[in-house]
Amino acid sequence: MDPVQWTGSIDPEVPSAARMYDFFLGGMHNFEADREAARRVIEAMPDAPMIARVNRSFLRRAVRFLVARGIRQFLDVGSGVPTVGNVHEVAQGLDRDARVVYVDIDPVAVTHAAQILAGNDRATAVVADLREPAELLNLLDHPQRRAVLDLSRPVGLLLVSMLHFVPGEPAHRAVTGLKDALAPGSYLVISHPVSEGVDAQTAGRVQGVYQRTATPGALRTRAEVERFFDGFALVPPGLVWTPQWQPDDDVAEADLGAADPRRVGMLAGVGRKPD
Ligand code: SAM
């Protein structure tokens, strides 16, 4: 499936959260400005690459969980630059008919996703901004996307390690807008870095680096993250440190954040929209 044609331009001098994350994960889709910014994050927070791996492991576990619960459609918003174990690979590996729409604000991430998805008529990628949920839903209403994602049936909405790039109330408004558009029986998957246990100096240094990107980030409290699940029922074990969410061998692979899951500094949860 073709992505929405994106007509803007990329400034390789401005670091991007998507490409910095790609660098943390050892990917190749980043520019010098991204690498330089990512190195500054690692200087302030040496665990950053480990946290990215642990987060990817959570994403894979959550997708497997949803497929086991009968979900065959995924809307992955803030999907990032494709890397090992993408949502469509995990889901379609379990059921080849699983469908995925990737959405990201970063055109490099979406262009690369579209290349990978060429020839796959059950997955597509679009450039869109979570802060504009009505536009995003409008894009999904396009015949090409409707062929992939049927919003009248349950969907797995993935907002994994991305909501901190949408500070304040706009994120809550956007998530509410998307949740309202989902059919009963849909699931919401979130991981989110939190302020709990983070020293202010480290947080300030990392935030300072992201200020130079197009999507400056902000940490939230546990209660603020929990609020995203309002109206949805959290499945066990609830909102927990990311490595603690239904751990399996995949967690061990991601080297876990060693013995202390709090070290990851990121909460994860999966909620279900009631019937
Ligand atoms: N979800 C993937 C994962 O967990 O591996 C990628 C996470 S990456 C840390 C955050 C992603 O969110 C980046 O690709 C970034 O471009 C995207 N992003 C940030 N703000 C966004 C927005 N307002 N709308 C859509 N995507 C956004």
Side-chain angles (χ1 to χ4, degrees), residues 95 144 172-173 185 249:
D95 181 337
Q144 263 189 356
H172 287 282
R173 275 198 295 277
D249 291 349

Side-chain angles (χ1 to χ4, degrees), residues 36-187:
E36 164 67 24
R39 283 187 205 106
R40 285 178 51 213
V41 171
I42 294 171
E43 255 172 50
M45 198 175 62
D47 279 345
M50 177 275 287
I51 294 168
R53 289 197 301 278
V54 168
N55 179 61
R56 290 299 296 183
S57 168
F58 162 68
L59 173 64
R60 293 189 293 267
R61 297 198 305 282
V63 171
R64 289 197 291 268
F65 172 86
L66 263 51
V67 172
R69 292 293 176 287
I71 296 294
R72 294 293 182 273
Q73 316 189 85
F74 294 87
L75 175 58
D76 185 359
V77 182
S79 47
V81 177
T83 180
V84 177
N86 294 300
V87 173
H88 74 285
E89 292 163 344
V90 176
Q92 293 179 351
L94 293 167
D95 181 337
R96 68 172 302 281
D97 280 335
R99 280 143 203 280
V100 183
V101 174
Y102 291 108
V103 177
D104 203 283
I105 199 171
D106 187 295
V108 172
V110 173
T111 303
H112 187 51
Q115 281 163 1
I116 285 182
L117 297 174
N120 187 335
D121 63 0
R122 288 154 286 113
T124 190
V126 292
V127 176
D129 185 344
L130 177 77
R131 291 169 294 190
E132 304 292 345
E135 268 177 39
L136 171 50
L137 288 169
N138 214 18
L139 275 176
L140 296 177
D141 206 21
H142 184 279
Q144 263 189 356
R145 257 81 58 197
R146 276 207 310 262
V148 180
L149 210 66
D150 173 1
L151 285 182
S152 70
R153 292 175 39 237
V155 167
L157 170 60
L158 312 177
L159 297 167
V160 178
S161 186
M162 72 81 60
L163 285 169
H164 54 298
F165 294 113
V166 186
E169 279 306 301
H172 287 282
R173 275 198 295 277
V175 173
T176 301
L178 292 182
K179 284 191 319 191
D180 287 349
L182 299 181
S186 293
Y187 285 85

